[in-house]
């Protein structure tokens, strides 16, 4: 692994993130229904995003929502989206991004972080388990709700 860093989004890095490629079969796991519904009520002021850069190359993206007042418990401290460019997957970028997110959650006084994902091969289930998320429930759409206690 090179010199990974988390940096704020800029006009240039947003373009790089939007041009990330996916491995075959990953598309269908990108946006569980629950996130689409919650997105309509998320307050932009409670969202947090960072890009992962390796030297001067943009290799990953992670975002979260931190809002203790959000109606649904599992959206109060939640990993919203994580993406690693297809060519950069499998070398620790995703774990680095999650570690940064956990640091951010701790610094905001959160005692846990949730993630919601669809189980199935080609999806992020194994990754989330490897980096420490434990399934704790299910949404009404059959997605897994998992959690890391801080
Ligand atoms: C999920 C994703 C972010 C993982 O990023 P990554 O940089 O490849 O993951 P890492 O290299 O940091 O892997 C961390 C650990 O998870 C494991 N892991 C990652 N993907 C895995 C997979 N598909 N199957 C099994 N284990 C996996 C790694 O082996 C590693 O384990 P280790 O640390 O014990 O050796 C990346 O595959 C991705 O961008 N997928 C497409 C987008 C997506 O589905 N996002 C989630 C929904 S928003």
């Amino acid at each position: 692994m090179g010199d990974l860093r988390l940096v704020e989004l800029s006009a240039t890095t947003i373009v790089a993130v939007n041009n990330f490629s996916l491995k075959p079969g990953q598309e269908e796991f990108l946006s569980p229904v629950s996130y689409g519904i919650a997105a309509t009520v998320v307050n932009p002021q409670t969202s947090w995003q960072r890009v992962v850069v390796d030297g001067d190359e943009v290799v990953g993206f992670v975002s979260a929502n931190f809002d203790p007042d959000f109606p649904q418990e599992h959206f109060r401290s939640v990993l919203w989206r994580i993406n690693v460019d297809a060519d950069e997957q499998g070398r620790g970028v995703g774990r680095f991004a999650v570690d940064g997110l956990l640091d951010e959650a701790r610094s905001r006084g959160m005692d846990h972080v949730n993630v919601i994902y669809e189980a199935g091969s080609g999806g992020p289930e194994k990754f989330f388990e490897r980096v420490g998320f434990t399934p704790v429930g299910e949404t009404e759409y059959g997605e897994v709700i998992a959690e890391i206690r801080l």
Side-chain angles (χ1 to χ4, degrees):
M1 200 182 347
D3 173 25
L4 295 179
R5 286 176 301 128
L6 278 188
V7 300
E8 292 193 28
L9 284 171
S10 69
T12 322
T13 55
I14 285 173
V15 173
V17 169
N18 286 335
N19 285 330
F20 279 172
S21 51
L22 292 165
K23 291 196 170 164
Q26 289 185 331
E27 302 83 6
E28 63 189 283
F29 294 95
L30 272 190
S31 203
V33 175
S34 294
Y35 283 103
I37 292 167
T40 59
V41 284
V42 158
N43 176 348
Q45 286 171 351
T46 63
S47 70
W48 174 89
Q49 306 85 18
R50 289 290 183 276
V51 293
V52 186
V53 294
D54 184 359
D56 56 10
E57 196 184 344
V58 179
V59 293
F61 173 79
V62 62
S63 64
N65 186 50
F66 298 114
D67 180 0
D69 298 325
F70 201 86
Q72 286 152 296
E73 205 281 329
H74 53 270
F75 278 111
R76 292 180 189 159
S77 176
V78 65
L79 188 159
W80 194 266
R81 200 180 124 189
I82 184 163
N83 261 85
V84 174
D85 193 26
D87 293 342
E88 308 290 342
Q89 292 179 15
R91 64 178 189 94
V93 175
R95 182 185 283 279
F96 180 82
V98 169
D99 285 347
L101 164 60
L102 299 180
D103 287 346
E104 181 67 22
R106 276 188 207 97
S107 78
R108 291 174 183 240
M110 302 294 168
D111 63 4
H112 73 286
V113 171
N114 284 122
V115 70
I116 292 128
Y117 60 81
E118 281 167 27
S121 74
E125 181 174 23
K126 294 285 174 233
F127 165 75
F128 286 132
E129 288 177 0
R130 288 299 299 172
V131 299
F133 284 95
T134 306
V136 291
E138 216 178 79
T139 67
E140 60 189 293
Y141 306 103
E143 303 138 336
V144 179
I145 302 171
E147 178 175 85
I148 291 181
R149 300 301 305 180
L150 299 173

